[in-house]
Amino acid sequence: MQEIISHIQKAVLNIANELKFPDTGYQSTHNATGDTQLKLDVKSDMIITEILSKCKNIKALVSEEKPEALELNTEAKYIVAYDPLDGSSLLDVNFAVGSIFGIYEEKMSAKNLKMAIYSIYSARLELIICTDIPKLYRLNHKNEFEYIKDLKLSQKGKINATGGTQKNWSKTHASFIKSLFDEGYRLRYSGAMVSDIHQILCKGGGLFSYPATTDAPNGKLRAFFEVFPFAYICEKAGGKTSNGINKSLLELEFSKPHSTTPCFFGSSYEIDKLLSFKAEQ
Ligand code: P6P
C-alpha cells in the first residue's frame, strides 16, 4: 500500500503545480457521465495515469474521466478508481478542489475497498489517507507531506451541506433539510464534494447530502470514484452514511463503473434523523 501512497503523493504534487497557472478552458469532449471536460480535468487525469502506471502494485486504473479501465499488471491485486479533479468547474472562481482515490482489492466493490485517499488543492496542499483511521497530512516547507492530525466525527455537528437543485428535491428531503436548519445548522456548500466533506471532517461533524432529485433520480455523484471512498472515510472517522434508505452506502453494489447513487455522509445524529424521516413517509 505504501508504494501506491507514494505514487499518489507524487501525482497530487504535480497536479497542484499545474493548477497554479491554469487554463480553465473547456475541452470539446465529455466524460462517461456526460460532464463537459475542462482542460485541467484531462491534464490531471493524464498526470495520475502517467505516474500510477509505474506502480507495480496496481492491477488497473479506472478514471471518472475515461469510459474504460486501463489494465496494467495482471499479477497485481489493487484497482485504483479515481476522480482526478473533483469540483473542477469551480477553478475559474478559485475555490478549493481535489482528487479522490478508492483503492479496491482484486475487484471494484465497496466491500473490497481497502484504502481511500483524497487531496485538497487550496491555500495549502493537503492529503487525507485512510486505511483504518483518516489521517490529515499537509505539505511543508521541505515539500514533504507532514502528519497533522487524525480526523474524527463527533455524534452531532452544526454544518449542513445541501447538494442538488432545491426545486428538484422531494418534499421529504426538503422537510428533512429544513428540520436541520430549524435546529440552527449553518449552510456550508461550495459545490465541490471533496471540499464540502473535508470541512465536515475537519470541523468534526455535520451532514453532506446529494439526494435523488427529479432531474437525477439516481443521484449525481459517482459510486466508485466519489461516494464509496468518502463513505469509507466518514465511517472510519466514526460517522454514518446512507443512500436515504439503507444503513450504509458501503452495502451498495453496482455493476457499471460509472454508476451514481443518492448519498448522505455525516455524524450519526444526522444520519439517524434522515432514516427516521424517510421511515415516516
Ligand atoms: P451541483 C462537482 O461537479 C460535483 O461532482 C461534486 O463535487 C459536487 O458535490 C456536485 O457535483 C455539485 O453538484 O448539482 O450541486 O452543482
Side-chain angles (χ1 to χ4, degrees):
M1 289 290 214
Q2 188 49 49
E3 177 103 3
I4 293 174
I5 292 171
S6 51
H7 281 77
I8 289 176
Q9 286 173 331
K10 192 171 171 202
V12 302
L13 266 170
N14 275 254
I15 292 170
N17 289 328
E18 282 297 322
L19 295 183
K20 284 179 186 155
F21 313 103
D23 167 358
T24 56
Y26 280 91
Q27 300 271 111
S28 56
T29 54
H30 295 78
N31 66 15
T33 30
D35 299 334
T36 309
Q37 289 177 309
L38 269 168
K39 288 175 185 155
L40 281 164
D41 284 322
V42 174
K43 177 78 177 163
S44 303
D45 185 41
M46 281 169 60
I47 290 169
I48 292 171
T49 302
E50 186 193 337
I51 292 173
L52 268 62
S53 293
K54 295 176 184 134
C55 181
K56 296 294 172 235
N57 297 353
I58 297 176
K59 184 191 187 101
L61 291 174
V62 188
S63 168
E64 181 181 292
E65 299 302 331
K66 293 194 190 84
E68 305 300 329
L70 174 64
E71 305 298 336
L72 295 172
N73 308 292
T74 49
E75 298 309 306
K77 63 179 179 174
Y78 295 111
I79 297 166
V80 179
Y82 62 90
D83 177 357
L85 201 58
D86 182 66
S88 56
S89 58
L90 299 168
L91 278 168
D92 58 353
V93 296
N94 202 20
F95 273 21
V97 296
S99 306
I100 310 168
F101 302 85
I103 293 86
Y104 299 87
E105 187 170 11
E106 297 301 348
K107 70 189 280 276
M108 281 219 303
S109 159
K111 59 180 181 301
N112 288 47
L113 195 53
K114 298 298 177 199
M115 179 163 67
I117 295 176
Y118 68 91
S119 59
I120 295 282
Y121 308 111
S122 185
R124 305 183 291 196
L125 176 56
E126 296 187 330
L127 196 64
I128 290 76
I129 300 171
C130 181
T131 41
D132 291 321
I133 297 167
K135 293 183 178 296
L136 168 62
Y137 299 84
R138 189 172 294 148
L139 197 70
N140 65 20
H141 290 291
K142 293 182 279 184
N143 225 32
E144 297 159 347
F145 283 101
E146 184 178 329
Y147 171 76
I148 303 297
K149 63 176 181 177
D150 291 357
L151 298 180
K152 291 187 179 62
L153 288 171
S154 51
Q155 194 266 341
K156 186 177 186 300
K158 300 188 180 90
I159 289 173
N160 198 1
T162 57
T165 306
Q166 297 195 23
K167 75 174 178 61
N168 299 332
W169 288 353
S170 70
K171 286 192 170 46
T172 304
H173 183 69
S175 55
F176 164 61
I177 293 295
K178 183 179 181 303
S179 75
L180 292 176
F181 285 129
D182 291 349
E183 284 187 43
Y185 280 67
R186 282 166 296 176
L187 173 63
R188 293 289 184 273
Y189 189 74
S190 75
M193 168 193 208
V194 66
S195 313
D196 293 330
I197 298 182
H198 184 61
Q199 178 175 200
I200 288 168
L201 286 163
C202 290
K203 298 286 187 189
L207 178 77
F208 175 94
S209 55
Y210 204 106
T213 57
T214 50
D215 59 334
N218 294 318
K220 173 181 181 183
L221 302 182
R222 276 71 37 156
F224 292 107
F225 311 112
E226 297 166 320
V227 175
F228 288 158
F230 271 114
Y232 184 87
I233 290 169
C234 287
E235 292 186 9
K236 291 288 187 186
K240 289 186 177 179
T241 68
S242 173
N243 63 350
I245 297 164
N246 69 358
K247 291 197 181 332
S248 167
L249 286 162
L250 297 174
E251 292 170 357
L252 299 176
E253 302 211 354
F254 298 97
S255 54
K256 295 194 179 81
H258 294 274
S259 299
T260 61
T261 176
C263 52
F264 300 78
F265 310 81
S267 311
S268 44
Y269 171 82
E270 290 87 351
I271 299 296
D272 291 346
K273 182 167 187 158
L274 163 77
L275 294 174
S276 64
F277 248 83
K278 302 282 180 170
E280 284 157 21
Q281 301 312 313

